[in-house]
Amino acid sequence: MAGMLMRVLTVILVFMLAGCGDDRPDQIAKYQQLTQQRLDTLSNMLNDGQVRNANLLKQYVQVLEKQKPDLSPLLNELATDATNRGPMFTSLTRRLSDSQNPANYVDLDQQLAEVENLYQAADPSLFNDMLSDPLNVVADMSDGTLARVNSISREAAALANGAEDFGAGSQLVGNPAYGSWQTGSNGMSFWAWYGMYSMFSNLTRGPIGYDRWSSRRNYSYYNDVGRYRYTSPKQARAQTQTYERAKKQFNAQGKKFDSPYAKSRTGSTSLSRQSSSTPKASSTGRTASSKSKFRSNYSKDSSFRNSSSRTTRGVRRGK
């Protein structure tokens, strides 16, 4: 009798396990759909002037162009971030397209983590905060005429963080939307700007070396708050490789070298609730360790929709 009962229980267990298939592909597809909807909403909000920092960025550029017309090409390039053609927005659309191909990820957990991050990054409030970096770059270039947003003053941040002044555009250094770390003939890495952003090189005191920047960088939204959401797994790997290469060189000289993201810098003010709950920048690139985390989020599809509508109204009020 006991043997028969055991066999029955075994059969039931087998059927139960068969019904518990891997739901990650469905979750990935759902996040992709939700992210596309959110990007469409964000695009419309940018076009309709409903994102506060995007509006300010356009206004700041117009003011500074009159003061420094020689910087007009660079300023106009920075202003594209206030549209759906800017590097930050197009980076999200490119990552969403890449997420359709599982071969771009080491496993389903990493692919799922990426699409969840994309959904969060496309949140209008989070994107509004992300725009504080190019906005504050323009503010700093105005020599005090234009006020910073979502950040303490340049001088106060430098004092609090023991930071070096790397010159105009320093908030964008490290952000793969604007440039990348290249290796020089001496084996050390330096920051190379993309396209029109190379004009920043004329406004700084020589190339920005990775080793010096890592220990002496100042606060920026991307590097200290938004990096977790606004960095693809491929970009995170490149950042890790740059760090490991520098660390190896320093170790060979008997010196210690810390990651530029080992600790966050001080400087943020008045960030959205979404930014305040963002994981630390130092955790960027980690593979999702638990499917239950995503399941618990996914059990609240209605909360996704409600959160999106609340966010939209919140950014509009900040206009």
Side-chain angles (χ1 to χ4, degrees), residues 147-183:
R148 278 188 166 201
V149 298
N150 301 124
S151 173
I152 60 178
S153 72
R154 187 179 188 175
E155 295 75 19
L159 184 62
N161 298 309
E164 180 179 341
D165 184 359
F166 289 100
S170 57
Q171 294 96 322
L172 307 180
V173 174
N175 187 329
Y178 304 95
S180 62
W181 294 108
Q182 301 292 320
T183 304

Side-chain angles (χ1 to χ4, degrees), residues 28-47:
I28 290 169
K30 185 66 173 177
Y31 264 119
Q32 289 168 336
Q33 178 186 6
L34 290 170
T35 300
Q36 185 59 65
Q37 293 172 358
R38 191 169 257 190
L39 282 172
D40 291 342
T41 297
L42 177 58
S43 177
N44 290 334
M45 291 178 68
L46 288 168
N47 290 337

Side-chain angles (χ1 to χ4, degrees), residues 197-213:
Y197 300 111
S198 61
M199 288 185 67
F200 279 124
S201 300
N202 301 326
L203 306 176
T204 58
R205 295 180 293 276
I208 299 175
Y210 181 76
D211 55 336
R212 205 168 93 245
W213 177 82

Side-chain angles (χ1 to χ4, degrees), residues 39-90:
L39 282 172
D40 291 342
T41 297
L42 177 58
S43 177
N44 290 334
M45 291 178 68
L46 288 168
N47 290 337
D48 294 341
Q50 297 177 359
V51 180
R52 179 180 182 272
N53 283 347
N55 292 340
L56 284 175
L57 180 56
K58 293 176 183 177
Q59 294 167 14
Y60 276 27
V61 164
Q62 290 174 357
V63 171
L64 194 56
E65 268 191 306
K66 295 177 182 178
Q67 295 179 8
K68 302 181 179 182
D70 55 316
L71 296 178
S72 182
L74 175 58
L75 293 171
N76 286 328
E77 192 70 19
L78 288 167
T80 63
D81 260 327
T83 71
N84 58 8
R85 304 183 308 278
M88 291 311 305
F89 188 93
T90 55

Side-chain angles (χ1 to χ4, degrees), residues 126 129 221 225 270-279:
L126 209 65
D129 289 342
Y221 179 86
V225 184
S270 306
L271 295 178
S272 66
R273 174 179 54 82
Q274 287 84 344
S275 285
S276 300
S277 61
T278 296

Side-chain angles (χ1 to χ4, degrees), residues 11-29:
V11 171
I12 293 174
L13 180 60
V14 169
F15 277 107
M16 289 177 63
L17 291 175
C20 296
D22 191 342
D23 62 349
R24 287 175 296 176
D26 289 338
Q27 294 178 25
I28 290 169

